[in-house]
Amino acid sequence: MTKVEKIEINDYQTTNHEFLAPRRTRLKEFWHLFKQNRLAIAGLVIFVLFFITALAGLFLTSGHDPVFDPALVRLQEKLRSPFSQPKIDTLMPHEIPTVGVYVMGTDDLGRDVFARMLQGAWVSLTVGFVAVGISVFVGIFMGGIAGYFGQNHIRLDHILMVCLLFAAGIFIAMGEFFSGSAFLIVFLASVLLLFRSMNKMEMRGMSKWYGILKKDTISIDTLIMRIVDIMLCFPSFFLILTVVALLPASIYNIMIIIGLTSWMGTTRFVRAEFLSLREQDFVTAARALGVGNFRIIFRHMMPNAIAPVLVSATIGIATAILTEAGLSFLGFGVPPPHATWGNILSDGKRFIFDAPWLTFIPGIAILIVVLCFNLFGEGLRDTLNPKLKERH
Amino acid sequence: MEQTISSNNSVLKVNGLKKYFPVRRGFFQRIGGWIKAVDGVAFEIEQAKTLGLVGESGCGKSTVARLILKLLEADAGQIAYRGRDISKSSEKDIKPLRKEMQIVFQDPYGSLNPRMTAGQSIEEGLRISGVPGKKRKERIDRLLNMVGMSYGSADRYPHEFSGGQRQRIGIARALSVEPSLIICDEPISALDVSIQAQIINLLKDLQDELGLSYLFISHDLNVVGYLSDQVAVMYLGHIMEYSRTAELFENPLHPYTLALLSSVPVPEPGQKLRMQSLKGDVPSALDPPPGCKFQGRCTLVEEQCRNQEIDFYDAGEGHMVRCWKVVKK
């Protein structure tokens, strides 16, 4: 029969510094690949310039005595073309433009378009970032739950409890605090009961009604992904129009609404990534070590799932800026005294033959910013693609 | 010196372990059948000893590992860790025991988080076992040194290491919570032969040093023979033969063990294989034959093997075997 072979080898401690590969962090490698993409670099440069402009715009156009006053009306100087000299003799000293000329002309009320563009840049930037921030936050949360806990089933008693909470919320919102708080008390009682029964298994024998309550319905994954499908069914721009028509017009409402109607893509990305990451050995190892669920999700899995989210977020910023401009153009956006690129464009369309700069300047600005975000996003996607040839 | 199978010195004792996976079919996802991945597995691992678990691909070895670690819920049977049955315990009850049992994986590329440095991966274990933040760095260095890695490795990412180095880091991570049992799920089958030997010797040295027990899963009989004190041969969710290593290699009783042993390459040129190799494939675990699971490929098959389910039979000195032929003798 086969002998048990004795394996003879030299000492296993062969790993020295010489055996380690030269140091190259992920960031360095990323930058090395990213800078080969010229268009993406151009996108990044314009993005940084836009960021600085918007930030400068915020400080230069706001406050008690702004450097550039976007709201200053000079009716005698209306519809002046770009780089035209102001007629000094007709103006009050504080009405003279700060740089000496009207860099981007004036509009039909004689307001300085350059100052208004600066003010609008900050609106576009914040709308883009806050809206995408909201959508990424919701998307990661929903996608993470669907991907990690997705196989768990929702029980009948969970649905009943959510119904109770909803009923309580509706009653309180209607002003009937008595019935509302009654529902709330029933809800809290059933939550307590649920936690108690999780620890004690003997509740099983209580009654058959209890068994019916414990019946599994659909899985969490199915529920979340069907909600995503339903949300995607609505044409989002018209959904936003409807909601904006019902709510008071304000820049914050616009941000929140754009954010809450664009999280579906992120959810799908994160869920797909989580489904594949969940089965990886390093996640199993973390579970075997006894790492908690939330630490596994946020410390172990999220950094591996974030790359496609980052890409879609960058492109999402462009979409959000465009949506805000569209809403402002239609008159549903940020209310008039405050300038945004969309409502400068909208105001200018009546004078498109007399003062074409009123439409072209904001139009081209929107075009460039949206384009640079798209180019940057696509560059990111190409660079982060693990199947990229130059990587190996 | 070597004792029989049952003893009081056991770290892990598994009895009648079962895991059936449902196969869902059709539009309504009705359960169409059960894959009997693990079907009544029983063994015991003693303090500072190694049990080798051998078998072909798909015979349920890795499922056994996951069942013991409670990463999967067992359908039936007991898993007793130092005499305490943990098979029915909830996730919360098992948490303190997680530190006692660790796993080393087959694939060194998938088993380390690509976004965490080697040090961070190991630190997760130290965090769990409550090592204060200041002492962690020193402990990480010590653990890395223990598995033969240099000090500079702690702040490097997995993609900067070779397969063997990653496997060492995986072992260091398992050691970070100071376990008493490590389940090695084919830890060397993805490595070069020279690196395999390094890792095996590392495991053996760690066992001597720390008094670890191993459940060593492999399909390489040579390695199992070298490392293990006991060997269990698995086939289609069953343990076919279970004995002390020397006994099993010198006196294999089950035809399947014989076939496996004869398939081990012998490092002597010109020597002929003593037995014909196995014919056919492993039958599907979805629809296993009645009677002995090995009947379809056994050269000695009889009428009784085809009909009658067979139980473990003690062929003397704790040499357990699941074969009618042996029972008759």
Side-chain angles (χ1 to χ4, degrees), chain A residues 73-98:
Chain A
V73 177
R74 319 168 180 85
L75 283 172
Q76 67 276 43
E77 292 275 60
K78 66 180 185 182
L79 298 184
R80 301 293 306 272
S81 61
F83 297 111
S84 57
Q85 295 287 336
K87 294 186 188 102
I88 308 281
D89 44 335
T90 64
L91 290 174
M92 306 271 280
H94 73 274
E95 288 177 339
I96 300 169
T98 319

Side-chain angles (χ1 to χ4, degrees), chain A residues 328-350:
Chain A
S328 293
F329 183 80
L330 292 176
F332 286 97
V334 181
H338 201 283
T340 76
W341 293 358
N343 64 26
I344 298 171
L345 191 72
S346 169
D347 292 343
K349 74 179 186 295
R350 286 176 293 158

Side-chain angles (χ1 to χ4, degrees), chain A residues 21-33 391, chain B residues 114-115 117 155-160:
Chain A
R23 209 64 234 274
R24 196 168 178 193
T25 60
R26 277 178 178 271
L27 199 69
K28 266 187 205 160
E29 186 176 304
F30 167 78
W31 181 244
H32 173 76
L33 289 169
R391 189 174 286 275
Chain B
R115 304 278 159 154
T117 61
D155 49 296
R156 281 165 182 268
Y157 285 92
H159 71 107
E160 298 178 78

Side-chain angles (χ1 to χ4, degrees), chain B residues 12 19 31 47-48 57 67 70 75 83 91 97 133 139 160 168 190 194 213 228 239 247 293 314 319 322:
Chain B
L12 185 81
K19 181 69 191 176
I31 293 168
Q47 180 73 45
S57 306
L67 288 174
K70 298 277 291 174
D75 290 331
E91 181 65 38
L97 277 178
R139 283 286 295 276
E160 298 178 78
R168 286 164 193 270
S194 60
S213 306
S228 311
I239 286 184
E247 167 76 9
K293 295 280 183 280
D314 192 341
H319 190 152
R322 206 187 274 267

Side-chain angles (χ1 to χ4, degrees), chain A residues 103-145:
Chain A
V103 179
M104 291 178 179
T106 59
D107 65 3
D108 56 322
L109 296 174
R111 293 176 295 193
D112 188 1
V113 176
F114 181 64
R116 287 172 63 73
M117 286 297 292
L118 274 182
Q119 192 183 29
W122 179 250
V123 174
S124 292
L125 188 82
T126 45
V127 165
F129 274 83
V130 174
V132 167
I134 292 170
S135 88
V136 164
F137 183 78
V138 176
I140 283 179
F141 184 71
M142 299 285 263
I145 287 178

Side-chain angles (χ1 to χ4, degrees), chain B residues 102-119:
Chain B
Q102 282 303 309
I103 184 166
V104 174
F105 292 96
Q106 171 180 13
D107 177 17
Y109 293 87
S111 63
L112 292 175
N113 191 335
R115 304 278 159 154
M116 282 169 118
T117 61

Side-chain angles (χ1 to χ4, degrees), chain B residues 81-137:
Chain B
Y81 177 79
R82 293 197 192 279
R84 181 183 156 199
D85 185 16
I86 56 167
S87 60
K88 305 278 186 303
S89 312
S90 68
E91 181 65 38
K92 214 169 86 186
D93 296 335
I94 204 77
K95 203 123 198 181
L97 277 178
R98 286 257 183 243
K99 281 187 276 190
E100 302 293 322
M101 291 187 275
Q102 282 303 309
I103 184 166
V104 174
F105 292 96
Q106 171 180 13
D107 177 17
Y109 293 87
S111 63
L112 292 175
N113 191 335
R115 304 278 159 154
M116 282 169 118
T117 61
Q120 284 172 331
S121 284
I122 296 168
E123 195 182 348
E124 285 296 293
L126 298 177
R127 214 178 54 82
I128 293 293
S129 48
V131 176
K134 286 174 225 158
K135 288 189 181 163
R136 284 183 199 163
K137 192 164 166 15

Side-chain angles (χ1 to χ4, degrees), chain A residues 362-382:
Chain A
I364 288 169
I366 293 169
L367 173 82
I368 289 173
V369 168
V370 169
L371 191 69
C372 94
F373 271 104
N374 277 325
L375 289 175
F376 178 56
E378 280 177 19
L380 264 186
R381 185 182 59 203
D382 289 347

